[in-house]
Amino acid sequence: MTVSEITPEEQTELDKALYDALNPLASAIRSRETGLPVDRMWEADPVEVALSVLAAWKVVDGEVKRLTEQAAATAGSYGASYEQLGAVWGITRQGARKKWPEAVSRPAPATAGKSRLALFGGTAELVQSPSGGWGWTGRGADGVSGTAADGAPYATAEEAAAHAGAFLKEHALDIGDQP
């Protein structure tokens, strides 16, 4: 998808819709600032009226930015990349990442969900399953291999590490020499 252009007719309709939406907001802002009724907003000093309109556009600009961030996050949640977001917005992939840093969820690094544990002369590897649970496989210093009991995953990496550590301690060559 590329940057969308609109026709002159669409531009006219968009302008009209935006002005129609802006008018009540500008009138309300002007009324609050002056105490004049909303229906008399346009009778005020032209500079003050123009500043009220500008203040209303500032509010609209903030809302458009908020809604834009929401749209980018929604697209990202459905799998859009920063490259795609940037193409639609007419900016680079890096520009899109800077503009909407939380829009696209980044895949976990390859090392996430895995870690190694070395204790009592043996080693164990902790591995997170796709369901989120943790398991382990290890080899003690005495050469005996082991895995998480019954393959049932543990709730946390720390719990799996504790069980793997107990296995490694049980299969150390000389427990008395270990710290």
Side-chain angles (χ1 to χ4, degrees):
M1 180 178 270
T2 60
V3 177
S4 301
E5 298 294 327
I6 62 174
T7 67
E9 295 80 19
E10 292 168 333
Q11 182 67 55
T12 300
E13 287 298 315
L14 177 61
D15 288 350
K16 181 183 179 325
L18 288 172
Y19 282 118
D20 287 348
L22 184 76
N23 234 353
L25 181 60
S27 295
I29 289 171
R30 182 74 191 130
S31 178
R32 277 194 305 275
E33 289 177 357
T34 65
L36 291 173
V38 172
D39 60 343
R40 294 190 50 216
M41 181 237 178
W42 299 110
E43 297 172 16
D45 175 41
V47 171
E48 295 301 320
V49 170
L51 291 173
S52 298
V53 171
L54 183 61
W57 280 121
K58 182 179 187 302
V59 171
V60 170
D61 183 54
E63 283 302 297
V64 167
K65 286 178 182 170
R66 182 184 66 80
L67 292 172
T68 300
E69 288 175 13
Q70 188 176 21
T74 299
S77 75
Y78 284 117
S81 67
Y82 279 115
E83 184 175 354
Q84 291 170 309
L85 294 175
V88 167
W89 204 251
I91 58 178
T92 65
R93 173 184 54 81
Q94 294 88 346
R97 185 183 309 264
K98 185 176 179 181
K99 186 169 191 63
W100 305 297
E102 302 298 319
V104 175
S105 59
R106 296 178 181 101
T111 58
K114 282 187 177 183
S115 63
R116 291 186 62 78
L117 180 65
L119 291 171
F120 305 106
T123 60
E125 182 176 66
L126 307 175
V127 181
Q128 188 173 25
S129 70
S131 65
W134 287 83
W136 61 270
T137 59
R139 178 175 299 276
D142 61 359
V144 174
S145 295
T147 61
D150 300 326
Y154 299 102
T156 65
E158 291 79 9
E159 185 180 2
H163 286 274
F167 169 82
L168 295 174
K169 182 177 181 181
E170 184 179 332
H171 294 280
L173 289 177
D174 186 4
I175 296 175
D177 294 339
Q178 301 298 322

